[in-house]
Amino acid sequence: MDEGDVGGEALVELVRSAVADRSPDLIAAFRRDGVILWLNDAGGELLGYDRDETLGRSIAEFLHPEDAERAIALALAVVDHLRGSHTGAPYRFLCADGTYAILDVSVTVLDELLVAVCRPMRDHDVMDRVLTGLTSGASFEDVVALLPEFDLWRNPTARCVVRCQDDDGRLLVLGSVVPPAAGGEAPAPGSPWARALAERREVVDPDLSALPADLAAWAEREGLAGVRVRAVDDPRGFEPALVTAYVAGDRSPIQAHQYPMATIARMLDLIMRFHQSAGELHHAATHDALTGLLHRGGFFAALPDRLPGTPVTVLAVDLDGFKQVNDRFGHAAGDEVLRLVANRLREAVGPDAVIARLGGDEFVVVVLDRAERIAAEALADRIRGELERPIALADGTVEIGASIGIAVDAGPHHDLDVLLADADAALYRSKPRSRRARR
């Protein structure tokens, strides 16, 4: 430091002797030109530098190039016009290991000296990872598993659990390791989880008196003293999710969990709505709008070209007499017939088969892990029986038939195109035996 820094040194000492040395935040004092005059020990540790190697250098050296210009402009504005203090804004600081830490920076002025208080922005980091996961195709479970961090980085001795269901309805319990009941499994009447579900609000119990005796005993052994529970409605139609935070004695007062619990609830709602919308878009992109079955593109996307290591049965289904339905009753009636055909196919083949409408009145059914001719023919008979039942329309009753071709392959490697061609060939050989539409 030169002689012009003597006045600044007195102010720096005033800052240091008050709270700076005891704060866990980065606190720096620097001149109008950005030269750092003082940095607390916590600041050096936060960024990974020895404090002495930062003194006398410009603060711009430690800022991300995209943040440096606005940071300097803000500092000059605070000195020249705003005075007082400037509320926090996020900036990226260069760490000794070459990475960047996002810190919330508040600036105040003491005489002509600027003092910056920089707090870790871990919420920003977690949010960034959540958004990256959503937009990069990470699984629902992997993204939701990040959410307890909103609470745990603030309250590291506490417990935080998110209980919800993934897109397939599979139960997930993510976050701290706790007994199942401690995350809301089968909540007892009057428990925080039962009240949160019934009242759709956050329930705050500052002690353990509302917990079942065995759960209260576990919490006491773990040094926990209270619980907050929040129910989050699931827009995908599943039961509400539950967010649970346990207070770790006097070390994290129950009020300390209010903001992170609200943040977790908002982010969980965002994730569930994102997956709901993504699921709807994916369904629209891969399914036939009329029947709800996979369309041709969705079918080939759902099944790879080659199906290694599993027996396969393919049934090609073509409606007989459908054209007459359209000609006699109109296309609206034909659409209704196709919807009913799709429903009857689902009933006939069960939930484990892959069903698709390839176009017009052409359908395909694929059954994996089965390649017995007798079983395939029995399934074909069941499909015919379902499809040949009379169909009541607004203007009358129709009956249609179905031609079905079968291809089975028990070999270790299957070519889907070859199996479809074989099933199509078998279908057309069966055409003359099919029934025709009649009123």
Side-chain angles (χ1 to χ4, degrees):
M1 273 179 238
D2 57 35
E3 293 181 359
D5 294 328
V6 174
E9 287 181 344
L11 288 172
V12 168
E13 179 59 27
L14 177 64
V15 173
R16 188 204 64 76
S17 62
V19 295
D21 274 341
R22 288 176 288 177
S23 172
D25 302 326
L26 183 156
I27 301 178
F30 54 97
R31 296 186 317 213
R32 175 191 174 94
D33 61 3
V35 172
I36 301 170
L37 303 181
W38 182 85
L39 179 72
N40 68 339
D41 288 332
E45 293 173 3
L46 192 61
L47 299 181
Y49 297 102
D50 183 280
R51 183 173 65 171
D52 291 340
E53 67 179 300
T54 67
L55 302 183
R57 297 169 62 182
S58 172
I59 195 169
E61 295 181 43
F62 300 95
L63 288 167
H64 190 284
E66 295 176 1
D67 296 345
E69 184 176 350
R70 67 184 176 97
I72 293 170
L74 171 63
L76 293 177
V78 170
V79 171
D80 294 337
H81 307 293
L82 302 180
R83 296 293 169 173
S85 62
H86 180 78
T87 55
Y91 291 88
R92 289 165 289 182
F93 282 78
L94 179 65
C95 298
D97 63 4
T99 62
Y100 283 91
I102 301 176
L103 304 181
D104 181 66
V105 180
S106 298
V107 179
T108 191
V109 178
L110 293 176
D111 196 7
E112 295 300 312
L113 191 70
L114 290 102
V115 177
V117 178
C118 309
R119 183 164 298 166
M121 294 289 288
R122 296 200 177 109
D123 279 358
H124 282 255
D125 174 63
V126 179
M127 286 181 183
D128 182 66
R129 285 187 284 148
V130 167
L131 294 177
T132 299
L134 286 175
T135 55
S136 64
S139 71
F140 179 87
E141 179 176 358
D142 287 343
V143 176
V144 175
L146 298 170
L147 299 186
E149 293 185 35
F150 284 112
D151 186 57
L152 295 175
W153 79 259
R154 291 178 170 87
N155 307 293
T157 59
R159 308 286 191 280
C160 184
V161 181
V162 177
R163 180 185 178 86
C164 59
Q165 290 171 272
D166 67 10
D167 293 331
D168 296 322
R170 182 171 60 96
L171 179 64
L172 302 175
V173 181
L174 304 167
S176 304
V177 177
V178 300
E185 180 179 290
S191 69
W193 302 277
R195 286 151 48 210
L197 289 170
E199 301 168 17
R200 292 295 195 275
R201 65 177 180 86
E202 185 171 355
V203 172
V204 181
D205 285 341
D207 55 41
L208 305 175
S209 59
L211 299 183
D214 56 341
L215 193 54
W218 164 82
E220 289 179 357
R221 289 195 302 270
E222 295 292 314
L224 306 176
V227 63
R228 298 181 80 117
V229 178
R230 190 169 185 138
V232 182
D233 287 326
D234 193 327
R236 300 168 299 164
F238 299 125
E239 64 183 28
L242 289 168
V243 183
T244 304
Y246 286 90
V247 179
D250 295 333
R251 290 169 290 178
S252 64
I254 203 161
Q255 294 82 0
H257 298 266
Q258 180 176 356
Y259 175 77
M261 287 282 285
T263 302
I264 291 171
R266 287 195 300 270
M267 296 301 292
L268 182 57
D269 179 71
L270 170 68
I271 294 166
M272 292 188 295
R273 290 186 184 280
F274 182 93
H275 274 256
Q276 178 193 29
S277 298
E280 291 171 350
L281 288 172
H282 181 266
H283 188 276
T286 57
H287 287 70
D288 173 45
L290 178 63
T291 64
L293 300 175
L294 289 166
H295 56 47
R296 181 180 290 273
F299 171 74
F300 283 102
L303 292 172
D305 293 337
R306 299 186 66 80
L307 304 169
T310 180
V312 179
T313 296
V314 176
L315 292 86
V317 181
D318 197 8
L319 303 183
D320 296 325
F322 179 72
K323 182 179 184 299
Q324 288 90 325
V325 174
N326 274 334
D327 291 344
R328 176 170 288 187
F329 298 103
H331 290 285
D335 289 347
E336 179 62 22
V337 168
L338 289 174
R339 281 191 287 267
L340 288 169
V341 165
N343 290 336
R344 291 181 178 184
L345 279 173
R346 293 186 185 97
E347 293 173 3
V349 305
D352 296 329
V354 178
I355 315 171
R357 181 189 177 202
L358 298 185
D361 59 356
E362 300 175 9
F363 299 83
V364 64
V365 175
V366 176
V367 182
L368 301 177
D369 297 320
R370 185 180 299 174
E372 299 89 8
R373 171 66 61 172
I374 294 176
E377 290 176 351
L379 178 57
D381 289 341
R382 190 160 65 247
I383 291 172
R384 286 193 193 92
E386 286 288 335
L387 298 186
E388 290 176 355
R389 288 191 290 116
I391 297 173
L393 299 174
D395 296 328
T397 300
V398 299
E399 295 179 20
I400 59 173
S403 297
I404 301 177
I406 301 171
V408 296
D409 190 346
H413 300 287
H414 315 284
D415 190 306
L416 186 58
D417 288 331
V418 172
L419 286 172
L420 285 172
D422 290 346
D424 279 337
L427 181 152
Y428 285 108
R429 288 195 298 270
S430 72
K431 267 286 185 184
R433 298 193 298 272
S434 299
R435 298 170 64 184
R436 301 302 176 187
R438 61 183 182 273
R439 189 168 185 172

